[in-house]
């Protein structure tokens, strides 16, 4: 965007009226690795299915930055939230502290992908001349909206590190956490990956994979046009069974999965387990330009290590076959470390309206970042790779 052009920021309370091609040109520009979660198809499926709406506490307030010709030059997926569920960057303690002091934490603004702890851009701007000015304008626009709405705070979560660095220079508070990601070191097969592990871990993984397939369990990949409504019916049953026990109220509606099947089948991988011809478990993954993202898992029969097989080992195999650089296996889970997934730092940025509360949060985050750094370093010492392997050197995912 040139200096002579006048930028206008609009707020869209739905993606329905936003041109999908224009949005995706900002979210996933040509030449950049595609991120499925910032796509118009994914975000609109969340809204149209009733999963991320005002009723569920996710009121869309997407920022659209347009040039003087009305062309979309940048965007931000943004929501007005009445709770902190489905975010995976936990601020419940902040909410309690402010409310105990007589303040009001909710509503707040949240720039994120609902129910999706996967790193990606949050300031959706194509690379090139002037892109940083557009990012700055979006950040300023989000703060202005927060001020107009009189909300307590603005949170931009699981954003790429470059944008995190830039927002820090703009005065946002910076927070870190960690996940576990698997990195492809140019493996030609799963056995090549196993060869990089210590003997004990290699034997453990082989034994777990054998145990998972006992009792006649078979595992298959389903993607693209091969995904049917029968697959989604089965997977939704798995999702509801596991989600109800884990969270009490699963976030995603049945319609969401059908919409994903219609719009994003080529970016979707279902790892499904069968026994006696019946689907009994499954893992939902999304395929990005350079990564596989594990998202949801569920089962109606429980077999030893079947979760590890479907969610971790099959994901590694698929990434190797597709030549993907990494697998992001979702939030938390130190058990992933022994299975080849290394600690990786995640980033979020925060704007707090109340000066005293902002100062208290800033002090807390300074200590928390130090703790996260120490934790990542300590966990890296337990990487399962051979001591003589180049892979034994801990490597972070900087995005």
């Amino acid at each position: 965007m040139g200096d002579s052009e006048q930028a206008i920021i609009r707020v869209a309370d739905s993606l329905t009226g936003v041109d999908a091609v224009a949005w995706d040109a900002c979210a996933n520009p040509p030449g950049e690795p595609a991120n499925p979660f910032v796509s118009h198809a994914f975000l609109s499926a969340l809204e149209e299915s009733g999963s991320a709406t005002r009723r569920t506490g996710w009121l869309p307030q997407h920022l659209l930055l347009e040039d003087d010709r009305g062309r979309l030059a940048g965007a931000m997926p943004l929501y007005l939230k009445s709770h902190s569920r489905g975010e995976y960057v936990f601020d419940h303690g902040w909410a309690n502290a402010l409310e105990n002091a007589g303040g009001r934490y909710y509503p707040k603004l949240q720039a994120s992908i609902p129910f999706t702890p996967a790193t990606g851009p949050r300031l959706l701007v194509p690379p090139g001349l002037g892109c940083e000015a557009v990012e700055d304008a979006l950040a300023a626009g989000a703060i202005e909206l927060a001020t107009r709405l009189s909300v307590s705070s603005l949170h931009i979560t699981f954003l790429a590190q470059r944008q995190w660095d830039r927002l820090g220079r703009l005065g946002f508070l910076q927070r870190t956490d960690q996940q576990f990601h698997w990195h492809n070191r140019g493996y030609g097969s799963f056995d090549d990956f196993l060869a990089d592990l210590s003997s004990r871990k290699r034997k453990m993984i082989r034994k777990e994979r054998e145990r998972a397939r006992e009792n006649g369990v078979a595992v298959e990949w389903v993607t693209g046009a091969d995904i049917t409504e029968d697959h989604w019916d089965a997977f939704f049953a798995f999702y509801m069974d596991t989600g109800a026990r884990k969270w009490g109220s699963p976030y995603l509606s049945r319609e969401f999965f059908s919409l994903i099947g219609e719009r994003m089948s080529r970016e979707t991988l279902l790892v499904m387990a069968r026994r006696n011809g019946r689907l009994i478990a499954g893992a939902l993954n999304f395929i990005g330009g350079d990564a596989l993202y594990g998202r949801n898992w569920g089962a109606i029969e429980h077999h030893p290590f079947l979760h590890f097989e479907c969610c971790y080992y099959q994901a590694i195999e698929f990434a190797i076959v597709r030549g993907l650089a990494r697998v992001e296996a979702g939030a938390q889970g130190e058990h992933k470390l022994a299975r080849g997934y290394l600690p990786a730092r995640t980033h979020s940025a925060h704007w707090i309206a109340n000066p005293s509360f902002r100062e208290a949060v800033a002090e807390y985050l300074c200590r928390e970042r130090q703790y996260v750094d120490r934790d990542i370093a300590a966990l890296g010492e337990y990487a399962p790779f051979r001591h003589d392997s180049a892979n034994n050197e801990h490597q972070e995912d900087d995005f």
Side-chain angles (χ1 to χ4, degrees):
M1 184 176 294
D3 293 337
S4 62
E5 295 180 349
Q6 296 297 314
I8 298 173
I9 291 185
R10 292 195 297 111
V11 177
D13 61 5
S14 170
L15 278 181
T16 302
V18 179
D19 182 77
V21 173
W23 178 280
D24 287 338
C26 296
N28 285 309
E32 297 292 315
N35 183 298
F37 304 118
V38 294
S39 69
H40 190 281
F42 187 86
L43 293 170
S44 62
L46 286 170
E47 294 179 19
E48 293 174 32
S49 67
S51 301
T53 63
R54 178 195 293 271
R55 182 184 61 81
T56 62
W58 292 81
L59 175 63
Q61 297 282 276
H62 306 307
L63 294 190
L64 309 175
L65 189 147
E66 298 172 341
D67 64 20
D68 58 357
R69 299 182 184 179
R71 299 173 301 189
L72 192 63
M76 177 188 289
L78 189 62
Y79 301 86
L80 185 65
K81 292 211 62 197
S82 58
H83 54 72
S84 291
R85 297 188 294 275
E87 297 171 7
Y88 304 93
V89 175
F90 302 108
D91 62 352
H92 302 88
W94 301 3
N96 291 337
L98 184 59
E99 290 170 5
N100 288 339
R104 186 186 68 169
Y105 195 74
Y106 303 107
K108 64 177 185 175
L109 281 175
Q110 186 82 21
S112 67
I113 310 304
F115 325 120
T116 308
T119 291
R122 298 296 178 259
L123 308 170
L124 308 183
V125 181
L129 186 65
C131 69
E132 291 185 345
V134 176
E135 290 178 340
D136 291 354
L138 287 169
I143 292 174
E144 181 179 350
L145 179 61
T147 302
R148 288 185 180 183
L149 295 175
S150 298
V151 300
S152 69
S153 49
L154 162 67
H155 309 268
I156 306 176
T157 52
F158 293 103
L159 75 163
Q161 183 175 350
R162 184 191 66 78
Q163 293 186 345
W164 182 77
D165 289 337
R166 185 158 192 82
L167 290 174
R169 292 192 291 271
L170 294 176
F172 281 72
L173 303 183
Q174 294 179 294
R175 191 176 194 183
T176 58
D177 202 345
Q178 58 94 9
Q179 294 181 342
F180 293 89
H181 299 169
W182 177 84
H183 299 269
N184 189 348
R185 315 302 184 192
Y187 301 121
S189 66
F190 194 88
D191 283 341
D192 288 346
F193 159 63
L194 289 180
D196 266 341
L197 302 181
S198 68
S199 175
R200 185 167 63 89
K201 296 301 184 185
R202 188 162 56 243
K203 292 177 181 177
M204 178 197 78
I205 289 175
R206 284 177 173 154
K207 184 175 182 179
E208 288 182 353
R209 300 199 78 183
E210 290 173 1
R211 290 287 308 281
R213 293 172 181 268
E214 289 178 350
N215 302 315
V217 174
V219 178
E220 61 193 47
W221 296 344
V222 192
T223 190
D226 292 334
I227 302 176
T228 68
E229 284 297 297
D230 288 341
H231 289 110
W232 289 126
D233 284 340
F235 182 79
F236 188 67
F238 308 154
Y239 169 74
M240 291 296 291
D241 180 81
T242 299
R245 285 183 286 103
K246 196 171 183 181
W247 309 301
S249 179
Y251 300 128
L252 300 170
S253 71
R254 172 63 182 84
E255 185 183 1
F256 169 77
F257 297 103
S258 288
L259 291 173
I260 289 300
E262 291 174 13
R263 301 171 183 180
M264 300 183 66
S265 63
R266 290 190 298 177
E267 292 82 37
T268 302
L269 167 68
L270 284 172
V271 176
M272 303 295 272
R274 289 182 184 271
R275 192 174 73 87
N276 296 330
R278 176 189 182 218
L279 291 171
I280 61 167
L284 171 62
N285 304 263
F286 288 89
I287 307 165
D290 61 354
L292 183 69
Y293 302 91
R295 283 306 307 118
N296 303 104
W297 149 264
I300 54 174
E301 287 187 13
H302 301 283
H303 299 269
F305 305 110
L306 185 58
H307 172 252
F308 292 166
E309 174 65 19
C310 291
C311 295
Y312 306 143
Y313 302 141
Q314 290 291 327
I316 289 173
E317 285 210 58
F318 186 87
I320 291 171
V321 169
R322 286 290 185 98
L324 299 173
R326 67 186 184 279
V327 177
E328 296 192 16
Q332 305 172 335
E334 293 186 4
H335 58 277
K336 299 169 187 172
L337 182 64
R339 291 155 184 90
Y341 289 75
L342 298 179
R345 190 176 283 104
T346 60
H347 305 86
S348 60
H350 308 267
W351 175 87
I352 307 277
N354 182 288
S356 298
F357 186 50
R358 172 188 172 86
E359 184 178 351
V361 170
E363 291 178 1
Y364 167 79
L365 290 180
C366 182
R367 297 191 300 272
E368 186 184 53
R369 288 194 300 271
Q370 294 172 356
Y371 170 80
V372 169
D373 289 345
R374 290 195 298 269
D375 195 39
I376 287 176
L379 287 168
E381 296 297 319
Y382 293 93
F385 298 100
R386 298 192 327 259
H387 289 296
D388 61 341
S389 169
N391 290 324
N392 192 50
E393 182 180 346
H394 170 58
Q395 298 187 29
E396 274 187 42
D397 201 351
D398 288 332
F399 301 97

